[in-house]
Amino acid sequence: FVQPISEAAIMLAALHSVLLATLGLSPSPLVATRRAALASAAAAVLCRDRASAATYGGGRASRCDSIFAGTFTDPINHPGGVREITLNADGMGGRDATVMGRRLATVAGGGGRGEPERFRLEALVDGDDGGITIDFTPKGGPDNFRGRFEAGGDGEGIRFVKDKNFWPKVKACTPLP
């Protein structure tokens, strides 16, 4: 029995592979799970080499060029914790890093009740009105967890599609000098 792999899982695996290759690293044996191996194999089929796996958008990258960039909290699931979302640059001249047309992002956070003191998650941003997909597996959660930005009765922030949890945005992203 082969479980189908979603497009987002393939993109996150491609992102992971590109980041490791860019840094000249290989995954540890503990990280190389069956799911990661299947996703990496699927990503390899779609992205035959590193150059085609990552494409770069035009212009100078800004880690803040999205409504998803900034500092958020998770008062329902992990009170006291923060999550800072930044868009990634490609490391090659400051261009925007993208995989299959989606911006690569990092979610760095922690410190909330019931979660690690610090964690780092990979994410893909589909544009301001397209949503964000976060891989929570490094902290024991689900992969391909989708959220949409909303402004309404709960304030401005990210509403996750599956569990309806809401991360309020508490601070806009600060561009680097």
Side-chain angles (χ1 to χ4, degrees), residues 31-48:
V31 175
T33 64
R34 181 174 174 265
R35 176 180 280 179
L38 288 171
S40 294
V45 169
L46 291 176
C47 308
R48 300 207 190 282

Side-chain angles (χ1 to χ4, degrees), residues 3 35 77 132 134 136 141-148 158-166:
Q3 182 176 4
R35 176 180 280 179
N77 292 337
I132 187 169
I134 303 174
F136 284 96
D143 62 348
N144 306 325
F145 211 65
R146 301 260 319 139
R148 296 219 177 263
I158 300 171
R159 172 87 54 203
F160 290 93
V161 176
K162 198 170 219 171
D163 67 358
K164 306 297 184 220
N165 188 30
F166 184 74

Side-chain angles (χ1 to χ4, degrees), residues 9 12-13 15-16 19-20 28 30-33 35-36 78 83 105-110 114-123 133-145 167:
L12 285 170
L15 162 65
H16 184 102
L19 291 176
L20 288 175
S28 73
L30 296 175
V31 175
T33 64
R35 176 180 280 179
H78 302 289
R83 291 91 176 81
T106 300
V107 180
E115 70 178 350
E117 186 61 34
R118 280 187 258 161
F119 61 81
R120 193 169 204 79
L121 309 173
E122 296 170 350
T133 302
I134 303 174
D135 179 2
F136 284 96
T137 57
K139 61 178 278 201
D143 62 348
N144 306 325
F145 211 65
W167 287 2

Side-chain angles (χ1 to χ4, degrees), residues 55-120:
T55 58
Y56 307 106
R60 181 165 162 65
S62 170
R63 62 193 214 114
C64 301
D65 280 348
S66 171
I67 57 175
F68 290 102
T71 304
F72 298 81
T73 62
D74 186 357
I76 302 299
N77 292 337
H78 302 289
V82 296
R83 291 91 176 81
E84 183 178 3
I85 300 175
T86 54
L87 302 177
N88 300 346
D90 70 358
M92 300 164 59
R95 295 174 293 189
D96 304 339
T98 64
V99 170
M100 300 169 92
R102 295 178 178 166
R103 285 294 305 270
L104 308 180
T106 300
V107 180
R113 187 180 72 219
E115 70 178 350
E117 186 61 34
R118 280 187 258 161
F119 61 81
R120 193 169 204 79

